[in-house]
Amino acid sequence: MDKILDGELIHHGIKGQKWGVRRTQAQLGHTSGVKKRISSVHRTKQKKSSKNVTKKKSVSEMTDTELITAINRKRLEKQYLELHPTKVSLGKQFTEKVINEIAIPSVTYSAKNATQKWVSKYLDKKLGLTNDDPMKAMQKVVNDMNTRKQYDELKDYFEKRNNKK
């Protein structure tokens, strides 16, 4: 309620109004005639267009002429887009450039290094290599392999010898 008192405008708000609570258009008594008109026009267009819509056929269901027409349409659309490229904003161009030239290569490089480190650690662990002296560790692995080979050869020799008796 507005009151004018000694040349001043005093406003006391709307009766029953609460802070932070908004009333709907219906509560305010507004009719949304414009929205009704738009929605009714939209609905009639929708009804008309839904009648003309045909089910999309699979390639095997199409006749030769329908297939040729579809292929020509796609080809023409592609040519049109090549002749009339869409304008790309400077922000999008910059973002794509940063992603393609900086982000993707750095992530790829990091993933490659991490994988190499993991594989190296895994193989070192499986082979029993230590970080102290790689040459000594390799010699140990080779010696273990030679010892295993000699053991297998001796085992075969004694098995053959026992079988002859």
Side-chain angles (χ1 to χ4, degrees):
M1 302 305 239
D2 294 334
K3 293 181 183 176
I4 299 179
L5 193 64
D6 297 329
E8 292 183 17
L9 178 66
I10 301 172
H11 180 67
H12 297 286
I14 298 170
K15 189 174 182 180
Q17 183 178 10
K18 305 283 184 196
W19 280 102
V21 177
R22 295 190 179 266
R23 297 189 303 174
T24 63
Q25 294 293 326
Q27 288 173 332
L28 292 171
H30 297 292
T31 57
S32 54
V34 175
K35 288 185 180 179
K36 285 182 183 176
R37 270 187 264 125
I38 290 172
S39 62
S40 64
V41 169
H42 180 67
R43 272 192 234 111
T44 55
K45 282 184 179 178
Q46 231 178 8
K47 287 179 185 175
K48 288 179 184 176
S49 64
S50 64
K51 291 177 185 174
N52 297 334
V53 174
T54 57
K55 182 184 169 196
K56 191 172 183 178
K57 295 181 180 180
S58 68
V59 175
S60 60
E61 294 173 339
M62 289 182 170
T63 63
D64 290 346
T65 53
E66 289 174 331
L67 193 57
I68 290 170
T69 305
I71 291 171
N72 285 337
R73 176 65 187 197
K74 290 289 183 184
R75 187 178 299 130
L76 289 172
E77 287 177 7
K78 184 178 178 183
Q79 287 175 350
Y80 180 83
L81 290 174
E82 288 172 356
L83 293 172
H84 304 285
T86 56
K87 294 180 180 177
V88 180
S89 69
L90 292 175
K92 188 172 183 177
Q93 288 175 358
F94 175 75
T95 305
E96 287 176 353
K97 187 174 182 177
V98 167
I99 288 171
N100 293 330
E101 293 180 10
I102 297 171
I104 291 174
S106 65
V107 168
T108 304
Y109 179 76
S110 298
K112 181 180 172 184
N113 283 343
T115 304
Q116 284 177 340
K117 286 180 183 178
W118 181 83
V119 168
S120 177
K121 267 186 177 178
Y122 180 79
L123 290 176
D124 288 350
K125 183 179 176 183
K126 286 295 182 182
L127 294 174
L129 300 175
T130 60
N131 293 337
D132 299 337
D133 188 6
M135 287 303 290
K136 284 185 180 178
M138 277 303 253
Q139 281 179 333
K140 182 181 182 291
V141 170
V142 170
N143 287 337
D144 290 345
M145 290 171 68
N146 286 336
T147 305
R148 181 70 184 171
K149 183 179 177 185
Q150 289 173 353
Y151 170 78
D152 290 338
E153 288 173 355
L154 285 172
K155 184 178 173 186
D156 289 342
Y157 171 76
F158 285 112
E159 283 179 0
K160 287 179 185 177
R161 188 171 162 203
N162 289 338
N163 287 338
K164 287 184 182 179
K165 289 185 179 182

